Amino acid sequence: MKMLNSQRKTRLERRIVGATNRWRFPQDHFCGDLLALSQMCNILNIDLDEALKNPDKLCISKFQKFFSENIMNSGTQSGEADVILECLGFKWELHHPQIFQSETLGKLYLRALIQNTKTPQRELDKVLKAHPPGKTKKRSSVKKIIISLRINDPAVTRVAFAVALKNLYMNEVEMTVDNVLGVLASAHILQFNRLFQKCVNMMLNRLAPTTIKNFYLAGCKYKEEQLIIACEKWLAMNLVPLVGTQIHLRQIPEPLLYKVLKSPRLFTFSEFDLLKTLLMWVYLQMNCKVQMIPIHETMLEFFNSFSKKCCFLEQDPGQSWMPLFLCLRLHGITSGKDLEELKHINFFPESWLVRVTANHYHALESGGNMIHLKDLSTQAMRFGLLFRQRIKHTDLECSSPVCEHSTISLRSERLVKYEIRAQTLVDGRWQEFRTNQIMQKFGFIKPGCKSHALKIKTEGIPIYASFAFIFPAS
């Protein structure tokens, strides 16, 4: 009985195709009209068995190939429109050679042609004869078809959609950062691959504090891995030195921030600089009305205002951000003044700070050996230098705090495990250079007093240089 009901339901789903009495199948690719599909295959010289596997894609690609010789760089299409597209409350006049660059419009047209015409084979034959490759289009006697496209994506505006349609006719259509997201969304809906990739390329070259959020979200929305990875790499370099100094830090999505904090490419001047940037991000999430980056003391006073019964990360407002701060290497903060500041604002669990202090104490007791650190890629001390101008190796002046005097080891030799990374522009593209993980003894006598040299050949600036090291037992 259940099987009979299922068969009856299937029959009820069938619909009559066009002005004929041909039945349409309920589960189908190309309107379920096998006769119309067979006619189309004859016209386009397509194997019917191949077309049955994926009729839409095969037929559209055949039309795209047919029209490829005379659709680009030919200026504005002349002659009367062949297709009327109803979309976004407007009627757009289009021509055959252009609409078949869009898989969406091509499918809509072919389906409308089959459903509204008694002789689709004759009409398709007229389309092909009306547009012979390499010749100027004459006024066609093909029946004008009206197609409709409903768009629910709020990113698609009328202006952006108009730019997308204009790209069907011209290779070079100006886009701006302001409308590129709308054009990208339009290209995705139209399945206009050339324009979609053009938008992605523009976004790759326009990453900035003001655009990083929307470009990253667009990459996630359309599953564009190239754009997602580019956003992650860009933010890994610029989170601390650039974005962290601007109000746009507030807009960074938490999932993206987490990925960057876990990234081996993350650039920071010191661990404390990274911590201050992350604290500022939390501050901006909790103070939505603040329109400019506050001074450091204002931020510290805010966190210090919370209850002293437990630390901020263990209270309701801060628990959700615990995973972000677990990405930090607090043992990389060695200044007593900085550690006292963290204790004063009552932000971290006391056990975290006690562990850091104890590890520092044991390291000093053992002559600098960092016995508790094993993995260079996830536990190493790290600091970075940002070179905005060329300097010689003989230049002694350096404004970085890493060059200031600090705790000094009196041992004549010191075993160090370290790695050097650099990211810079090479021929207009960002490239990363790195050494392998190196285990080396340093001393006062040559050649042991010099580290491995990381050599890169580029004229681009800036150069982001990062250093990571561990003092293993020796």
Side-chain angles (χ1 to χ4, degrees):
M1 186 67 180
K2 186 176 181 181
M3 185 179 296
L4 290 175
N5 289 337
S6 176
Q7 291 176 349
R8 182 177 300 173
K9 183 178 179 182
T10 300
R11 292 192 187 97
L12 291 175
E13 287 179 351
R14 296 190 299 175
R15 294 201 300 268
I16 294 178
V17 176
T20 70
N21 61 351
R22 300 197 303 272
W23 285 106
R24 169 179 177 165
F25 296 148
Q27 304 292 332
D28 62 320
H29 293 285
F30 197 83
C31 299
D33 189 345
L34 296 182
L35 178 58
L37 179 60
S38 175
Q39 293 173 342
M40 188 171 298
C41 288
N42 289 334
I43 298 170
L44 299 176
N45 194 25
I46 300 173
D47 183 71
L48 179 60
D49 292 335
E50 287 297 318
L52 286 171
K53 296 177 182 178
N54 196 339
D56 282 346
K57 186 173 182 180
L58 190 62
C59 293
I60 297 299
S61 63
K62 196 76 175 182
F63 271 101
Q64 288 174 335
K65 182 178 179 181
F66 180 85
F67 287 120
S68 62
E69 295 185 23
N70 64 338
I71 59 176
M72 305 308 300
N73 301 317
S74 59
T76 304
Q77 176 76 36
S78 60
E80 187 178 348
D82 308 300
V83 183
I84 303 297
L85 170 64
E86 295 179 343
C87 184
L88 298 175
F90 275 79
K91 292 185 178 180
W92 315 82
E93 295 188 347
L94 302 173
H95 301 79
H96 288 132
Q98 281 69 38
I99 65 168
F100 284 107
Q101 292 181 76
S102 161
E103 287 192 21
T104 299
L105 297 183
K107 291 174 184 177
L108 290 175
Y109 175 78
L110 292 177
R111 288 173 177 174
L113 188 67
I114 291 173
Q115 292 176 357
N116 300 333
T117 307
K118 293 182 179 180
T119 55
Q121 180 177 2
R122 186 179 302 171
E123 291 297 323
L124 283 172
D125 194 41
K126 288 181 181 180
V127 171
L128 300 181
K129 289 180 180 179
H131 300 276
K135 295 184 180 181
T136 304
K137 178 184 178 297
K138 297 180 181 180
R139 183 168 181 173
S140 173
S141 59
V142 179
K143 181 180 179 180
K144 189 177 294 185
I145 297 292
I146 298 176
I147 59 177
S148 297
L149 177 62
R150 180 177 295 179
I151 297 178
N152 296 321
D153 191 339
V156 180
T157 64
R158 288 175 177 176
V159 172
F161 193 72
V163 172
L165 294 180
K166 191 173 182 180
N167 270 271
L168 293 172
Y169 289 80
M170 301 173 65
N171 247 340
E172 298 299 328
V173 177
E174 290 187 6
M175 289 187 295
T176 66
V177 174
D178 294 331
N179 68 14
V180 68
L181 287 170
V183 178
L184 179 80
S186 301
H188 175 76
I189 289 173
L190 291 171
Q191 290 296 290
F192 186 6
N193 296 330
R194 176 175 62 82
L195 177 59
F196 187 88
Q197 190 57 51
K198 183 179 178 181
C199 292
V200 170
N201 292 339
M202 180 181 181
M203 295 161 75
L204 294 175
N205 294 321
R206 298 295 182 88
L207 290 172
T210 55
T211 62
I212 183 69
K213 172 192 173 183
N214 290 332
F215 286 6
Y216 173 76
L217 294 179
C220 295
K221 179 179 180 180
Y222 302 116
K223 297 180 174 59
E224 186 61 33
E225 285 297 321
Q226 182 185 14
L227 183 57
I228 294 173
I229 293 173
C231 289
E232 292 172 357
K233 287 183 176 180
W234 184 90
L235 189 60
M237 288 191 297
N238 293 286
L239 175 63
V240 174
L242 182 60
V243 182
T245 63
Q246 301 183 25
I247 196 65
H248 305 294
L249 175 65
R250 168 189 286 139
Q251 301 174 357
I252 303 301
E254 186 174 343
L256 174 58
L257 185 60
Y258 181 79
K259 285 185 179 180
V260 167
L261 292 174
K262 300 286 285 186
S263 171
R265 300 185 182 90
L266 176 61
F267 174 88
T268 181
F269 300 113
S270 70
E271 200 68 31
F272 192 63
D273 285 295
L274 179 59
L275 170 59
K276 289 192 294 184
T277 300
L278 191 51
L279 288 174
M280 185 62 70
W281 181 86
V282 172
Y283 175 88
L284 294 175
Q285 303 307 304
M286 301 185 70
N287 296 272
C288 299
K289 294 183 179 180
V290 172
Q291 296 301 315
M292 60 184 297
I293 293 288
I295 61 175
H296 184 61
E297 288 71 21
T298 300
M299 180 183 68
L300 296 181
E301 183 179 347
F302 169 77
F303 289 119
N304 195 36
S305 66
F306 285 85
S307 172
K308 299 298 188 295
K309 291 182 180 180
C310 61
C311 72
F312 176 83
L313 286 181
E314 292 177 339
Q315 298 179 32
D316 290 339
Q319 283 183 344
S320 63
W321 292 314
M322 182 79 78
L324 295 176
F325 287 90
L326 286 171
C327 297
L328 296 177
R329 306 174 189 180
L330 293 181
H331 57 268
I333 302 175
T334 57
S335 167
K337 175 179 175 296
D338 296 339
L339 291 172
E340 282 296 322
E341 186 175 280
L342 295 186
K343 184 178 180 181
H344 176 68
I345 64 173
N346 192 36
F347 190 89
F348 294 99
E350 185 177 359
S351 60
W352 292 22
L353 300 180
V354 170
R355 189 184 310 117
V356 170
T357 305
N359 288 336
H360 289 341
Y361 178 78
H362 292 310
L364 289 173
E365 265 197 335
S366 60
N369 294 341
M370 299 176 177
I371 302 174
H372 60 289
L373 303 182
K374 305 294 182 182
D375 186 11
L376 184 71
S377 61
T378 60
Q379 297 179 308
M381 308 278 282
R382 53 188 174 185
F383 67 92
L385 297 171
L386 180 56
F387 298 99
R388 299 188 183 276
Q389 62 181 16
R390 295 285 173 172
I391 63 173
K392 298 179 181 179
H393 68 281
T394 55
D395 292 341
L396 299 179
E397 295 184 4
C398 183
S399 59
S400 173
V402 299
C403 297
E404 298 175 0
H405 294 295
S406 187
T407 307
I408 298 174
S409 173
L410 297 178
R411 299 172 62 168
S412 60
E413 285 188 329
R414 167 79 267 169
L415 185 63
V416 181
K417 186 177 183 180
Y418 68 96
E419 181 183 64
I420 306 173
R421 292 174 178 263
Q423 298 177 81
T424 186
L425 285 170
V426 179
D427 297 329
R429 292 181 175 273
W430 285 102
Q431 290 193 19
E432 181 184 15
F433 303 87
R434 54 176 292 189
T435 65
N436 295 321
Q437 294 187 8
I438 303 169
M439 187 77 79
Q440 179 181 342
K441 269 193 175 181
F442 284 89
F444 296 108
I445 303 174
K446 292 182 178 181
C449 61
K450 291 185 177 181
S451 72
H452 178 87
L454 176 62
K455 297 181 179 180
I456 59 177
K457 187 176 181 181
T458 178
E459 297 180 356
I461 52 174
I463 299 175
Y464 298 78
S466 298
F467 306 87
F469 64 91
I470 288 177
F471 294 153
S474 61

